[in-house]
Amino acid sequence: MKKFLSLICACMMILCPLSSCAEKNPSENESSTIQELDEAVLKPIHDYLDGYNAKDAELVLSSFVPQLLISEMKEKGTYENEIERVKGNIDATFELWEENYGADSSISFGGEVSNSTLSEEYLELASKYFELTFYDLETKIELEQGYEVSYTYTIKGEHASTSDTQKACHVKVRDGEWVLLFCDAETLESFRDTPDEVETGESSETDTTE
């Protein structure tokens, strides 16, 4: 699952910004108006950050991998391997945090800055994101709703802290749960003309350390 492993490395948004926080053209999404979002929409980012603080690899994985795909991983016998890799990433993250911010480092959600509704076009690109990322799994992910959300977070240790703003997409699986995508709507554009992973070959892992 090389593509999946590359994603796990690249998705360490808590180590470095993955997307620009510049304002987007309102025509790219259905609505650029700030809306009050249901708690379920933001649950994936809370699960992701809480999972890191608790070193809970299963909670972290479930925040950005739909349950339909997790079920197939379990059927194929690859789930435990992915959990072990996530645990490795968590441990590496805490080592970096302690080096930069001191002992007892943790990350906290600061608050929502803005949001915009993803159009049907962007939901289709997000579905392609899942298809290409998990190309070796047969389950196809259909999405029924989504938002691009900008929020702040803080990493704090005994000796130092840092705060930043992050933008990411939150999408709802049809008849299922909300999950986190480690990219914004602009980044989803890169999936528009992306060929199948089988045709392009496996990508190399991304270094996310500062």
Side-chain angles (χ1 to χ4, degrees), residues 160-198:
S161 66
T162 185
S163 298
D164 206 344
T165 301
Q166 178 68 44
K167 185 180 288 186
C169 293
H170 292 229
V171 295
K172 187 177 189 299
V173 178
R174 189 171 301 281
D175 300 323
E177 78 280 23
W178 286 88
V179 291
L180 178 67
L181 271 64
F182 294 100
C183 61
D184 60 8
E186 183 178 5
T187 305
L188 283 178
E189 287 281 356
S190 65
F191 290 89
R192 188 180 301 278
D193 300 315
T194 304
D196 194 351
E197 180 70 13
V198 174

Coordinates of all heavy atoms in Angstrom, one line a residue, residues 160-198:
A160 N 8.3 25.7 25.0 CA 7.9 26.6 23.8 C 6.6 26.1 23.3 O 6.0 25.1 23.6 CB 9.0 26.5 22.8
S161 N 6.0 26.9 22.4 CA 4.8 26.6 21.7 C 4.7 27.3 20.4 O 5.5 28.2 20.1 CB 3.6 27.0 22.6 OG 3.5 28.5 22.7
T162 N 3.8 26.8 19.6 CA 3.6 27.4 18.2 C 2.1 27.3 17.9 O 1.5 26.3 18.2 CB 4.5 26.8 17.2 OG1 4.3 27.5 15.9 CG2 4.1 25.3 16.9
S163 N 1.6 28.3 17.2 CA 0.3 28.2 16.7 C 0.2 28.5 15.2 O 1.1 29.3 14.7 CB -0.6 29.3 17.4 OG -0.7 29.0 18.8
D164 N -0.7 28.0 14.5 CA -0.8 28.2 13.1 C -2.3 28.0 12.6 O -3.1 27.5 13.4 CB 0.1 27.3 12.3 CG 0.6 27.8 11.0 OD1 -0.1 28.8 10.5 OD2 1.5 27.3 10.4
T165 N -2.5 28.3 11.4 CA -3.8 28.1 10.8 C -3.7 27.0 9.7 O -2.7 27.0 8.9 CB -4.4 29.4 10.1 OG1 -4.4 30.4 11.1 CG2 -5.7 29.2 9.5
Q166 N -4.7 26.1 9.7 CA -4.7 25.0 8.7 C -6.0 25.0 8.0 O -7.0 25.3 8.5 CB -4.5 23.7 9.5 CG -4.5 22.4 8.6 CD -3.3 22.4 7.7 OE1 -2.2 22.7 8.1 NE2 -3.5 22.0 6.4
K167 N -5.9 24.6 6.7 CA -7.1 24.5 5.9 C -7.2 23.1 5.4 O -6.2 22.5 4.9 CB -7.1 25.5 4.7 CG -8.3 25.5 3.9 CD -8.2 26.5 2.7 CE -8.3 27.9 3.2 NZ -8.3 28.9 2.1
A168 N -8.3 22.4 5.5 CA -8.5 21.0 5.0 C -10.0 20.8 4.6 O -10.8 21.6 5.0 CB -8.1 20.1 6.1
C169 N -10.2 19.7 4.0 CA -11.6 19.4 3.6 C -12.1 18.3 4.5 O -11.4 17.4 4.9 CB -11.6 18.9 2.1 SG -11.2 20.1 0.9
H170 N -13.4 18.5 4.8 CA -14.1 17.5 5.6 C -15.3 17.0 4.7 O -16.1 17.8 4.2 CB -14.7 18.1 6.9 CG -13.6 18.5 7.9 ND1 -13.7 18.2 9.2 CD2 -12.5 19.2 7.7 CE1 -12.6 18.7 9.8 NE2 -11.9 19.3 9.0
V171 N -15.4 15.7 4.5 CA -16.4 15.1 3.6 C -17.2 14.0 4.3 O -16.7 13.3 5.2 CB -15.7 14.6 2.3 CG1 -15.1 15.7 1.5 CG2 -14.7 13.5 2.6
K172 N -18.4 13.9 3.9 CA -19.3 12.9 4.4 C -19.5 11.8 3.5 O -19.9 12.0 2.3 CB -20.7 13.5 4.8 CG -21.6 12.5 5.5 CD -22.9 13.2 5.9 CE -23.7 12.3 6.9 NZ -24.1 11.1 6.2
V173 N -19.2 10.6 3.9 CA -19.4 9.4 3.1 C -20.9 9.1 3.0 O -21.6 9.3 3.9 CB -18.7 8.1 3.7 CG1 -19.0 6.9 2.9 CG2 -17.2 8.4 3.9
R174 N -21.3 8.8 1.8 CA -22.8 8.5 1.6 C -23.3 7.5 2.6 O -22.7 6.4 2.7 CB -23.1 8.1 0.1 CG -24.5 8.0 -0.2 CD -24.8 7.8 -1.7 NE -24.2 8.8 -2.5 CZ -24.7 10.0 -2.7 NH1 -25.8 10.4 -2.2 NH2 -24.1 10.9 -3.5
D175 N -24.3 7.9 3.3 CA -24.9 7.0 4.4 C -23.9 6.6 5.4 O -24.0 5.5 6.0 CB -25.5 5.7 3.7 CG -26.6 6.0 2.7 OD1 -27.4 7.0 3.0 OD2 -26.7 5.3 1.7
G176 N -22.8 7.4 5.6 CA -21.8 7.1 6.6 C -21.3 8.3 7.4 O -22.1 9.2 7.6
E177 N -20.0 8.3 7.7 CA -19.5 9.2 8.6 C -18.7 10.4 7.9 O -18.5 10.3 6.7 CB -18.5 8.5 9.6 CG -17.2 8.2 9.1 CD -17.1 6.9 8.2 OE1 -18.2 6.5 7.6 OE2 -16.1 6.3 8.1
W178 N -18.4 11.4 8.7 CA -17.5 12.4 8.2 C -16.1 12.0 8.4 O -15.7 11.4 9.4 CB -17.8 13.8 8.9 CG -19.0 14.4 8.5 CD1 -20.3 14.2 9.1 CD2 -19.2 15.4 7.5 NE1 -21.2 15.0 8.5 CE2 -20.6 15.8 7.5 CE3 -18.3 16.1 6.6 CZ2 -21.1 16.7 6.6 CZ3 -18.9 17.0 5.8 CH2 -20.2 17.3 5.8
V179 N -15.2 12.3 7.4 CA -13.8 12.1 7.5 C -13.0 13.3 7.0 O -13.5 14.1 6.3 CB -13.4 10.8 6.7 CG1 -13.9 9.5 7.3 CG2 -13.8 10.9 5.2
L180 N -11.7 13.3 7.4 CA -10.8 14.4 7.1 C -10.0 14.1 5.9 O -9.5 13.0 5.7 CB -9.9 14.6 8.3 CG -8.8 15.6 8.3 CD1 -9.4 17.0 8.2 CD2 -8.0 15.5 9.5
L181 N -9.8 15.1 5.0 CA -8.9 15.0 3.9 C -7.8 16.0 4.2 O -8.0 17.1 4.5 CB -9.6 15.4 2.5 CG -10.3 14.3 1.7 CD1 -11.4 13.8 2.5 CD2 -10.7 14.9 0.4
F182 N -6.5 15.5 3.9 CA -5.4 16.3 4.2 C -5.0 17.2 3.0 O -3.9 17.2 2.6 CB -4.2 15.5 4.6 CG -4.4 14.7 5.9 CD1 -4.8 13.4 5.9 CD2 -4.3 15.4 7.1 CE1 -5.0 12.8 7.1 CE2 -4.5 14.8 8.3 CZ -4.9 13.5 8.3
C183 N -6.0 18.0 2.6 CA -5.8 18.9 1.5 C -6.9 19.9 1.5 O -8.0 19.6 2.0 CB -5.6 18.2 0.2 SG -7.0 17.2 -0.4
D184 N -6.7 21.0 0.8 CA -7.8 22.0 0.6 C -8.4 21.8 -0.7 O -8.0 20.9 -1.5 CB -7.3 23.4 0.9 CG -6.2 23.8 -0.1 OD1 -5.9 23.0 -1.0 OD2 -5.6 24.9 0.1
A185 N -9.4 22.6 -1.1 CA -10.1 22.5 -2.4 C -9.1 22.7 -3.5 O -9.2 22.1 -4.6 CB -11.3 23.5 -2.4
E186 N -8.2 23.7 -3.3 CA -7.3 24.0 -4.4 C -6.4 22.7 -4.7 O -6.1 22.4 -5.9 CB -6.4 25.2 -4.0 CG -5.4 25.6 -5.1 CD -4.6 26.8 -4.7 OE1 -4.7 27.3 -3.6 OE2 -3.8 27.3 -5.6
T187 N -6.0 22.0 -3.6 CA -5.1 20.9 -3.8 C -5.9 19.7 -4.5 O -5.4 18.9 -5.3 CB -4.6 20.4 -2.5 OG1 -3.9 21.4 -1.8 CG2 -3.6 19.2 -2.7
L188 N -7.2 19.7 -4.3 CA -8.0 18.7 -4.9 C -8.0 18.8 -6.5 O -8.2 17.8 -7.2 CB -9.5 18.7 -4.4 CG -9.8 18.1 -3.1 CD1 -11.3 18.3 -2.7 CD2 -9.5 16.7 -3.0
E189 N -7.7 20.0 -6.9 CA -7.6 20.3 -8.3 C -6.6 19.4 -9.0 O -6.7 19.0 -10.1 CB -7.2 21.7 -8.6 CG -8.4 22.7 -8.4 CD -9.4 22.8 -9.5 OE1 -9.1 22.1 -10.5 OE2 -10.4 23.5 -9.4
S190 N -5.5 19.0 -8.2 CA -4.4 18.2 -8.8 C -4.9 16.8 -9.1 O -4.2 16.1 -9.8 CB -3.3 18.1 -7.8 OG -3.7 17.5 -6.6
F191 N -6.1 16.4 -8.6 CA -6.6 15.1 -8.9 C -7.5 15.1 -10.1 O -7.9 14.0 -10.6 CB -7.4 14.5 -7.7 CG -6.6 14.2 -6.5 CD1 -6.3 15.2 -5.5 CD2 -6.1 12.9 -6.3 CE1 -5.6 14.9 -4.4 CE2 -5.3 12.6 -5.2 CZ -5.1 13.6 -4.3
R192 N -7.7 16.2 -10.7 CA -8.6 16.3 -11.8 C -8.1 15.5 -13.0 O -8.8 14.8 -13.7 CB -8.8 17.8 -12.2 CG -9.8 18.0 -13.3 CD -10.0 19.5 -13.6 NE -10.3 20.3 -12.4 CZ -11.5 20.4 -12.0 NH1 -12.5 19.8 -12.6 NH2 -11.8 21.2 -10.9
D193 N -6.8 15.7 -13.3 CA -6.2 15.0 -14.5 C -5.2 13.9 -14.1 O -4.3 13.5 -14.9 CB -5.5 16.0 -15.4 CG -6.5 17.0 -15.9 OD1 -7.6 16.6 -16.3 OD2 -6.2 18.2 -15.9
T194 N -5.2 13.5 -12.8 CA -4.2 12.5 -12.4 C -4.6 11.1 -12.9 O -5.7 10.6 -12.7 CB -4.2 12.5 -10.8 OG1 -4.0 13.8 -10.3 CG2 -3.2 11.5 -10.4
P195 N -3.6 10.5 -13.6 CA -3.9 9.1 -14.1 C -3.9 8.1 -12.9 O -3.5 8.4 -11.8 CB -2.7 8.8 -15.0 CG -1.6 9.7 -14.5 CD -2.3 11.0 -14.0
D196 N -4.4 6.9 -13.2 CA -4.5 5.9 -12.2 C -3.1 5.6 -11.7 O -2.1 5.5 -12.4 CB -5.1 4.6 -12.9 CG -5.5 3.6 -11.8 OD1 -5.2 3.8 -10.6 OD2 -6.2 2.6 -12.2
E197 N -3.0 5.3 -10.4 CA -1.7 5.0 -9.7 C -1.1 3.7 -10.4 O 0.1 3.7 -10.5 CB -2.0 4.7 -8.2 CG -0.7 4.4 -7.5 CD 0.2 5.6 -7.3 OE1 -0.2 6.7 -7.6 OE2 1.4 5.4 -7.0
V198 N -1.9 2.8 -10.9 CA -1.3 1.6 -11.5 C -0.6 2.0 -12.7 O 0.4 1.3 -13.0 CB -2.5 0.6 -11.8 CG1 -1.9 -0.6 -12.6 CG2 -3.2 0.1 -10.6

